């Protein structure tokens, strides 16, 4: 489990055991996640999305507390998975990181509460599953526009992005900040501490 540059995000590369029958790997272990990162994941919901090449989902986040931590992997095909620090007051506010998750590397991404998440499908039938610490609650869910030039995510330039109407209508990071939609970094840290997580 390797920490990324945004506090609360980690990349996990599992050991894949393969033979003539196929392969096997542990893609999630709660005890390992907590021991390696200090973060746990209270499993409340599991999601699966299947996307055509170019589909861009996100950037999504939820009000903190309780927020929604996620543990994401790509079972089929390939995606570029992106996290953006939208926690106002964070030293890395507005910064993003992208990692390729695919059916060969089997990597997983952990995203703590208060951090925005999104991905673009690099292949047809890209199948993404993610574990969530809280169930979906429409009144607490928000997004920022994934193509906001002020964030400047370097999505693949050779793929035309396909967004839902909701994501296409999402505010920019600055609009979301001015309207009070974004989580506060100190409130996130206080919530992490309440959960027993390192701050």
């Amino acid at each position: 489990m390797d920490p990324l540059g945004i506090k609360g995000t980690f990349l996990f590369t599992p050991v894949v055991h393969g033979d003539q029958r196929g392969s096997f790997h542990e893609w999630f272990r709660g005890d390992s996640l907590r021991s390696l990162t200090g973060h746990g994941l209270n499993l409340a919901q599991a999601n699966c999305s299947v996307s055509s090449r170019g589909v861009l989902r996100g950037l999504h986040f939820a009000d903190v507390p309780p927020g929604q931590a996620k543990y994401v992997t790509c079972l089929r095909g390939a995606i570029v998975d992106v996290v953006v620090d939208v926690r106002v007051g964070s030293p890395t506010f507005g910064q993003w990181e992208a990692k390729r998750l695919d059916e060969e590397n089997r990597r997983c991404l952990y995203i703590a509460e208060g951090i925005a998440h999104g991905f673009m499908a690099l292949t047809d039938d890209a199948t993404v599953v993610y574990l969530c610490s809280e169930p979906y609650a429409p009144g607490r869910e928000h997004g920022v526009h994934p193509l906001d030039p002020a964030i400047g995510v370097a999505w693949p330039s050779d793929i035309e992005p396909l967004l839902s109407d909701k994501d296409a209508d999402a505010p920019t990071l600055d609009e979301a900040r001015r309207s009070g939609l974004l989580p506060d970094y100190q409130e996130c840290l206080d919530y992490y501490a309440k959960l027993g997580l390192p701050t």
Side-chain angles (χ1 to χ4, degrees), residues 57-69:
R57 300 181 187 269
L59 301 159
H60 303 147
F61 62 96
D63 291 338
V64 179
Q68 189 185 62

Side-chain angles (χ1 to χ4, degrees), residues 65-90:
Q68 189 185 62
K70 296 176 182 174
Y71 190 81
V72 183
T73 194
C74 182
L75 296 181
R76 180 178 180 187
I79 63 169
V80 58
D81 205 65
V82 172
V83 294
V84 179
D85 193 346
V86 296
R87 299 167 298 183
V88 176
S90 168

Side-chain angles (χ1 to χ4, degrees), residues 5 18 21 41 52-53 57 61 72 75 91 99 104 108-109 115 117 120 141 149 160 182 187 194 197:
R21 300 168 299 161
L41 186 69
S52 301
R53 185 175 191 265
R57 300 181 187 269
F61 62 96
V72 183
L75 296 181
K99 297 294 177 184
E104 294 180 9
C108 306
L109 197 61
I115 298 169
H117 170 255
M120 176 185 274
E141 305 290 330
E160 183 69 26
L182 301 180
E187 289 179 2
K194 183 179 177 182
L197 308 179

Side-chain angles (χ1 to χ4, degrees), residues 33-198:
L33 178 69
R34 183 171 286 283
S35 68
L36 294 172
T37 69
H39 291 236
L41 186 69
N42 174 40
L43 179 57
Q45 183 172 318
N47 299 333
C48 177
S49 71
V50 180
S51 302
S52 301
R53 185 175 191 265
V55 168
L56 199 170
R57 300 181 187 269
L59 301 159
H60 303 147
F61 62 96
D63 291 338
V64 179
Q68 189 185 62
K70 296 176 182 174
Y71 190 81
V72 183
T73 194
C74 182
L75 296 181
R76 180 178 180 187
I79 63 169
V80 58
D81 205 65
V82 172
V83 294
V84 179
D85 193 346
V86 296
R87 299 167 298 183
V88 176
S90 168
T92 54
F93 177 75
Q95 294 181 21
W96 61 273
E97 288 201 41
K99 297 294 177 184
R100 181 186 172 103
L101 307 181
D102 61 44
E103 64 186 28
E104 294 180 9
N105 66 38
R106 299 296 186 192
R107 296 192 300 186
C108 306
L109 197 61
Y110 173 77
I111 306 122
E113 296 88 348
I115 298 169
H117 170 255
F119 65 87
M120 176 185 274
L122 303 178
T123 61
D124 284 330
D125 295 326
T127 303
V128 177
V129 294
Y130 44 107
L131 308 178
C132 303
S133 65
E134 294 288 334
Y136 176 71
R140 297 195 318 256
E141 305 290 330
H142 308 288
V144 292
H145 202 290
L147 303 178
D148 180 357
I151 300 173
V153 174
W155 301 105
S157 59
D158 62 331
I159 302 177
E160 183 69 26
L162 176 61
L163 282 68
S164 70
D165 290 343
K166 180 180 177 182
D167 289 343
D169 292 337
T172 66
L173 183 65
D174 186 58
E175 289 168 343
R177 183 187 55 77
R178 285 189 279 111
S179 65
L181 286 180
L182 301 180
D184 178 80
Y185 183 59
Q186 187 58 53
E187 289 179 2
C188 288
L189 294 182
D190 293 344
Y191 184 64
Y192 301 159
K194 183 179 177 182
L195 296 175
L197 308 179

